[in-house]
Amino acid sequence: MFVSGLVSVFLFLHATGIDCAFTVTTSNADVRAKENEGADLYCTHSADFGANARVEWKFKDMTGSTTNVIFDGKPTTPYADRVTKFDGMLQFSKVTRKDNGEYYCAVSGSQKFGEVKVKLTVLVPPSMPMCRVPTSVTTGHSVLLSCHDAQGSPPPTYKWYKDNNPLPEDPSKFAAFKNYTYKINTLNGNLEFPFASKMDTGDYSCEAANDAGPAKRCEAVRMEVRDINTGGIVAGVIVALLALALLGFGLWYARRKGYLPKKSASQPKPSVVYQPTSEYGDEEDGEFKQKSSFVV
């Protein structure tokens, strides 16, 4: 029965055109190494590629950019001082957090091509996260608290504390937090209050953690949630109105006592009418004057 099963698998693969030969494999597809220590990436291929099979390694970083690591049988310039290629293995003498990403072992030969992916995670403990906590918030307003650590690898997860007590990710599942409305994103470190209330007043701190080392927490910052000061607003409006009234009274009193100059009466500007000069002789002020005449 076992033999018949193998025959069935072979016939299926043959019928579908899947080639079982020309394989490229790895013994460890998820490599983890501490920063500044060595790392080995494995890649083996079947003999079908031939004795002169071409093996190349490429690296794709976290942004998607691709770089050659091994090309034409030797390390490229960026890796020449810390990478060695062996038969079936790529060896790093030292890795840094910039080496985080995916490595592709590509094999070609006998007009065939095969490839396998190996993920490398460089372990870096988290550093002190940068926390942003507003110190004063008005009730009913939304507020965002943020926390981020750019050093940890793999990327850390985040936990928030209020008055040195951890805040559960889902407050609705705990009786002591059922009246809280906050939302926590453990991946990006955001703590959001859609509608802040006085019960949200407290000392807040954030902790970044991964499996590369001890967790780190920022110093606590106190956030005060206060009601809108309606009395203060009304008092401010009244003071502003009184100031305007006092200013108006001062101007009226100064004018009445003659402390302000009176406006001078405007006099009409004289109108000028132009009259053309007569062609019959000299004229003055535009009026014609009779000249003496004689009769022959």
Side-chain angles (χ1 to χ4, degrees), residues 276-289 291:
T277 305
S278 173
E279 61 180 353
Y280 297 104
D282 296 334
E283 297 179 1
E284 295 181 2
D285 298 330
E287 295 182 359
F288 176 77
K289 291 186 177 181
K291 301 292 184 175

Side-chain angles (χ1 to χ4, degrees), residues 81-94:
D81 61 341
R82 59 191 184 96
V83 169
T84 305
K85 177 183 176 295
F86 296 98
D87 187 18
M89 182 178 68
L90 181 69
Q91 186 177 76
F92 283 85
S93 61
K94 182 177 67 174

